Amino acid sequence: MATRLRLGIAVLAALLAALDGSLLPGLPWILLVVTLDLAASGFQYLSQSGNAIGRMQLFALYCVAAATAGVAMGYAPAWSKMLILIPAFHAGMRFARRGALTVFAVGLVTGLLTSAWLRHLSEGEGQQIALASLLALVFGLLGAWSHRMEADEPVVDPNIAAEAGLLLRRLHELAETLDTGFDAPGSAEMALQDLAAQMRAARSAILVGYGDDPAVPLAIRGADRTPWPDPMEPDSILARTWHEGVPTLCEWADDLVARSVIVVPLHDDHGDRLGLLVADRPLVTPFTEDDLVAASEVASRHAANIDLSVLFAGLRERAGLEERERLAREMHDGIAQEMVALGFGIDSLRRRARDTGSPLAEELDGLRVEVSRVLADLRLHIADLRIAVRPDTGLGALIGARLQNFGSTSGVTTRMHLSETGFRLPAHTEVLIYRLFLQVLADARHSLNAETVEVRLNVAAPRVELWVAHNGTSSLGPRDFADHPLTTLGGEISVEPYAGDGVAVRMRMRGRGAAPSATLSNERIPQPS
């Protein structure tokens, strides 16, 4: 648009100069103003840093162009008055109202001074210069307005897009060659299987955690929960390797039986710690330095696969969260707003019905209560869609905050018993457990006589047990959880009666790999921060 306007004004000025018989004397002025404007536009595209020096230089160029157009206004005939429009429009686009006012002032003063110096400043000439300057001010403000109205479309570098395409194709080829694809728990299980072929260990595990994130047991053998202390604790036998990234061979006497423990770090391609490989056995048959070297070699062989699987799982998790955020935003901006408007309409009808003594007033009151209940449920669903499991917010904190919110909005008595260790469950597992909790909570909200909701949560990763119950009339049954996604991850869900018409839902999930050979499952894990 700016280029077409510049050419249009220049061509129109040349045509008017030709009609006036002064094309040859006026052509240098036209070319000079257009050249200065082109130089300013080129400087704007070449300097994209946005620093103060670049903006001052560009502003000075527009001032020079405005001064040149002003000299032309005072020197040449009437056709030259329109040249001031070119720098005015572009200065307005770049510097908004400040640019438009500056070009107006510079053009007006320069034109009047030039005309006075040439001694042909008359009343008519002064009016023409002032009118042209005012028109330039209007053009500058239009330029500022058009710039503000234009949407800034993101520019995609074709080289970056091509590189992303190559990376995606390469990832597809790698997924075909890897035994476990991009399944992170599967890659961890392969590492433990390789470790078992190198040495005998009673218990072994792969723990994943980036930076300050909590440790997540990705795979475990010989136990149904992580038996070692949290590596974030200073006195943990895992702490030194977790923080310093050095292999450790040590003895651990705080267990029921004294044990020999090997702790080996897993590093990504940048050399940063992404997790730990841990193995132990009774101290009567301690590990040797050769076992430590063998474990380090296993960690080195499998670290790249585990890191790649973790990153890929993080991308899938992020895509799911973005889709949930989009749905929540559409529900909030769409049906939620319409429900609010419907409630206002019902309020208006209720007031009219009460003022006229209509028998429908009582029914409208009941309808308004029902609309408010539906709107409250909708808002809770929107909040639930925006679930984001973060390293600093565990499953217990997530359920506790939601239960407290439910109790404050519904008036139902809530009780919670929480037992949670420092180890975290995989993020996808935490989200599925939270959704199971929300399903029982929604049943309690829809019940007409629920007075109490109880929750018991025991997390000792990778083992977890959740018990949720309410004493209201329930519509839940075993069929509602027959195909629940948690069952594919090894979870067991049972439904029992509670307090008469109430219901109690219990979910147990024990550690994968407690047996010598564990089955692989398709879990997602926390993405690296």
Side-chain angles (χ1 to χ4, degrees):
M1 176 180 177
T3 303
R4 291 195 298 268
L5 179 63
R6 179 191 301 119
L7 293 176
I9 293 175
V11 171
L12 182 59
L15 290 177
L16 292 176
L19 293 177
D20 195 39
S22 57
L23 178 60
L24 291 180
L27 191 59
W29 293 104
I30 297 174
L31 294 178
L32 182 58
V33 172
V34 172
T35 301
L36 288 172
D37 190 79
L38 286 173
S41 300
F43 182 81
Q44 176 182 348
Y45 286 111
L46 290 176
S47 59
Q48 298 292 337
S49 60
N51 54 47
I53 297 178
R55 288 176 60 85
M56 291 174 59
Q57 293 174 342
L58 182 61
F59 191 78
L61 277 175
Y62 281 125
C63 289
V64 172
T68 304
V71 172
M73 284 196 301
Y75 179 84
W79 59 264
S80 63
K81 306 300 187 288
M82 65 176 60
L83 293 179
I84 191 66
L85 303 180
I86 297 177
F89 184 81
H90 292 93
M93 287 189 65
R94 184 65 180 86
F95 297 98
R97 289 176 294 180
R98 185 183 64 169
L101 290 172
T102 302
V103 171
F104 161 75
V106 172
L108 177 62
V109 173
T110 307
L112 292 176
L113 291 177
T114 303
S115 182
W117 182 68
L118 295 175
R119 297 182 180 179
H120 57 75
L121 179 60
S122 61
E123 182 179 354
E125 181 70 9
Q127 290 177 354
Q128 290 182 5
I129 294 176
L131 182 61
S133 300
L134 287 174
L135 187 60
L137 177 61
V138 174
F139 258 62
L141 295 177
L142 287 175
W145 177 77
S146 65
H147 179 69
R148 191 165 57 247
M149 293 296 294
E150 287 179 358
D152 294 329
E153 298 181 358
V155 179
V156 179
D157 189 345
N159 294 329
I160 296 178
E163 183 179 355
L166 291 174
L167 288 175
L168 289 176
R169 292 189 185 93
R170 182 56 180 161
L171 284 174
H172 180 72
E173 294 174 359
L174 288 174
E176 297 292 335
T177 59
L178 293 175
D179 292 336
T180 59
F182 291 133
D183 176 42
S187 300
E189 289 287 354
M190 293 291 291
L192 294 184
Q193 183 176 344
D194 191 4
L195 181 68
Q198 300 292 328
M199 67 190 70
R200 183 179 59 83
R203 301 178 300 196
S204 58
I206 298 290
L207 310 179
V208 172
Y210 290 83
D212 295 331
D213 294 351
V216 176
L218 198 58
I220 188 169
R221 287 192 172 196
D224 60 357
R225 57 171 293 176
T226 309
W228 309 283
D230 181 5
M232 303 293 285
E233 298 177 1
D235 56 347
S236 172
I237 59 170
L238 312 180
R240 181 168 180 264
T241 306
W242 183 265
H243 294 291
E244 301 178 12
V246 294
T248 303
L249 175 59
C250 57
E251 298 178 0
W252 184 36
D254 294 338
D255 202 6
L256 295 177
V257 176
R259 293 182 175 272
S260 177
V261 182
I262 283 179
V263 189
V264 177
L266 299 169
H267 296 289
D268 59 14
D269 55 346
H270 297 294
D272 298 327
R273 183 258 304 154
L274 67 92
L276 301 178
L277 185 153
V278 188
D280 73 2
R281 65 189 186 193
L283 191 57
V284 293
T285 55
F287 289 113
T288 64
E289 291 292 336
D290 293 337
D291 293 328
L292 182 62
V293 173
S296 300
E297 293 175 353
V298 171
S300 178
R301 284 195 297 269
H302 293 271
N305 288 346
I306 295 174
D307 185 35
L308 177 62
S309 302
V310 169
L311 294 175
F312 191 76
L315 290 176
R316 290 186 300 183
E317 192 69 25
R318 182 177 301 174
L321 291 175
E322 289 177 354
E323 180 65 15
R324 293 169 65 85
E325 178 65 26
R326 184 188 66 83
L327 291 174
R329 184 170 57 252
E330 290 183 356
M331 290 173 63
H332 178 272
D333 297 341
I335 188 172
Q337 302 299 328
E338 294 177 1
M339 290 294 297
V340 171
L342 178 61
F344 290 155
I346 295 176
D347 289 338
S348 178
L349 290 177
R350 290 167 61 202
R351 284 193 297 269
R352 293 182 183 179
R354 283 196 301 267
D355 293 342
T356 59
S358 173
L360 296 177
E362 185 176 349
E363 295 182 8
L364 288 173
D365 290 340
L367 180 60
R368 184 64 175 95
V369 172
E370 185 65 17
V371 170
S372 299
R373 183 191 65 80
V374 173
L375 184 59
D377 283 344
L378 182 61
R379 287 171 175 166
L380 289 175
H381 287 312
I382 292 174
D384 295 339
L385 279 173
R386 289 171 173 165
I387 299 172
V389 178
R390 303 189 304 270
D392 57 343
T393 305
L395 180 61
L398 202 64
I399 290 179
R402 186 63 176 83
L403 186 65
Q404 183 180 12
N405 186 18
F406 173 80
S408 61
T409 57
S410 63
V412 176
T413 302
T414 59
R415 289 190 290 268
M416 181 174 182
H417 174 76
L418 174 64
S419 175
E420 196 171 20
T421 65
F423 292 97
R424 285 283 298 273
L425 294 164
H428 182 57
T429 305
E430 289 188 345
V431 171
L432 290 178
I433 295 173
Y434 183 68
R435 292 180 189 171
L436 175 66
F437 161 74
L438 292 179
Q439 187 174 355
V440 182
L441 209 60
D443 182 67
R445 173 174 287 276
H446 295 154
S447 176
L448 299 178
N449 56 345
E451 298 178 352
T452 303
V453 175
E454 293 188 46
V455 178
R456 300 174 191 168
L457 178 65
N458 185 0
V459 180
R463 182 175 60 84
V464 59
E465 181 175 356
L466 173 69
W467 183 84
V468 188
H470 70 84
N471 61 353
T473 304
S474 174
S475 61
L476 294 178
R479 65 184 183 280
D480 296 307
F481 306 98
D483 299 324
H484 198 277
L486 282 171
T487 59
T488 63
L489 301 180
E492 301 175 357
I493 303 176
S494 59
V495 181
E496 305 167 355
Y498 173 78
D501 295 332
V503 66
V505 177
R506 186 187 303 272
M507 191 283 301
R508 294 188 182 93
M509 180 180 293
R510 303 195 180 277
R512 296 172 37 228
S517 60
T519 57
L520 302 181
S521 66
N522 204 1
E523 282 183 356
R524 297 177 184 173
I525 63 175
Q527 57 186 350
S529 59

